[in-house]
Amino acid sequence: MKSFLDLPRYKKQFIAAAADLLFLPLAFCLAILLRYDLVNVALFREYLWIIIATPIIALPIFVRVGLYRAVIRFIDQKLVYSAVVSVTLSVLLLG
């Protein structure tokens, strides 16, 4: 953990963005599994465009709103505000 904390800010921001790139589609896939309570490849093909679009839409919003900058610097009300705005904009655009 110490070596991670010693990384430059931009590397930590990149790691956070890379994690979102992986976990946003994974969260969407898990939501599909929970909703339909079965594993069906055809079902995932139906939602594939949304699964791919989720990080493509969300990551630029997260960067623009300053979510990664806020996470790396400190956790306070600004982070909560950035998270709420980012997620809301992402959901509205995906909707």
Side-chain angles (χ1 to χ4, degrees):
M1 188 65 169
K2 177 79 170 128
S3 62
F4 176 75
L5 295 175
D6 291 337
L7 289 174
R9 182 181 300 166
Y10 72 92
K11 285 187 179 181
K12 289 186 268 190
Q13 290 171 337
F14 178 79
I15 291 170
D20 282 344
L21 189 65
L22 173 70
F23 289 120
L24 285 170
L26 179 62
F28 197 91
C29 289
L30 291 174
I32 292 170
L33 288 174
L34 288 172
R35 165 65 175 91
Y36 293 102
D37 199 27
L38 66 113
V39 177
N40 185 349
V41 176
L43 187 62
F44 283 102
R45 274 195 220 122
E46 182 180 332
Y47 288 104
L48 184 63
W49 72 272
I50 298 176
I51 294 168
I52 293 170
T54 300
I56 293 171
I57 291 173
L59 285 177
I61 291 171
F62 292 172
V63 169
R64 178 72 179 122
V65 173
L67 182 65
Y68 298 119
R69 196 172 44 244
V71 167
I72 299 306
R73 270 194 214 151
F74 48 85
I75 296 176
D76 67 352
Q77 290 177 343
K78 183 177 179 180
L79 171 66
V80 174
Y81 176 76
S82 294
V84 169
V85 169
S86 300
V87 171
T88 302
L89 286 173
S90 297
V91 169
L92 288 173
L93 286 173
L94 283 169

